[in-house]
Amino acid sequence: MAIMITDECINCGACEPECPNTAIYEGGVEWTWAGGTELSEVELEDGVVVDANETQEPYSDEFYYIVSGKCTECTGFHEEPQCAAVCPVDCCVPDPDYEETEEELVAKKEWMHLE
C-alpha cells in the first residue's frame, strides 16, 4: 500500500529528501512522473499515455503530499518507508485507497527504475 501524508503534517520537509522515488512534494508544487525515475512516458489507469516530463497538478496546496503512483513504500531500497521513519508527527501512514502486495511494489520499483 502506498503511504499518504495526513493533514497533521507540520510542513517540516523531513520526508521529501528521504524518498528514493521522488514521490513526495511540497504543497502547491507541480510534479512529474519522470522526476527521480527513468520513465519517459506513462500509461495512466484510463489508458491515456502521457509524457513523463509533463507537469502534473499538485495533490495538495497546503501540505506535503505523496504521489501514490510513484510510492513503493521504499521497497527495494529500505526495510521500511523512510518518510514514516523520519516524520516527527507520525503523519506518514498507509493509504487505504492504494493497497498493493510486496510483489506489486517490487514491480512498480522495477518499472520506474528500469531494472
Side-chain angles (χ1 to χ4, degrees), residues 35-113:
T37 74
E38 297 178 36
L39 298 172
S40 59
E41 64 180 26
V42 175
E43 183 175 348
L44 304 178
E45 289 179 11
D46 61 5
V48 173
V49 176
V50 297
D51 181 328
N53 288 298
E54 183 179 319
T55 57
Q56 306 295 315
E57 291 295 315
Y59 284 14
S60 171
D61 288 327
E62 276 186 74
F63 304 105
Y64 276 82
Y65 63 92
I66 298 175
V67 175
S68 54
K70 292 177 72 175
C71 178
T72 63
E73 295 183 43
C74 295
T75 299
F77 295 102
H78 305 286
E79 295 294 318
E80 65 182 343
Q82 296 300 287
C83 57
V86 301
C87 181
V89 292
D90 297 324
C91 68
C92 296
V93 299
D95 186 340
D97 292 336
Y98 293 95
E99 295 186 26
E100 297 167 297
T101 65
E102 184 159 350
E103 293 78 22
E104 290 171 319
L105 293 170
V106 168
K108 187 191 297 186
K109 185 245 183 205
E110 291 173 353
W111 168 68
M112 287 190 296
H113 298 284

Side-chain angles (χ1 to χ4, degrees), residues 4-19:
M4 62 183 256
I5 298 175
T6 67
D7 60 6
E8 282 97 33
C9 178
I10 60 172
N11 286 318
C12 71
C15 56
E16 185 180 21
E18 300 302 319
C19 183

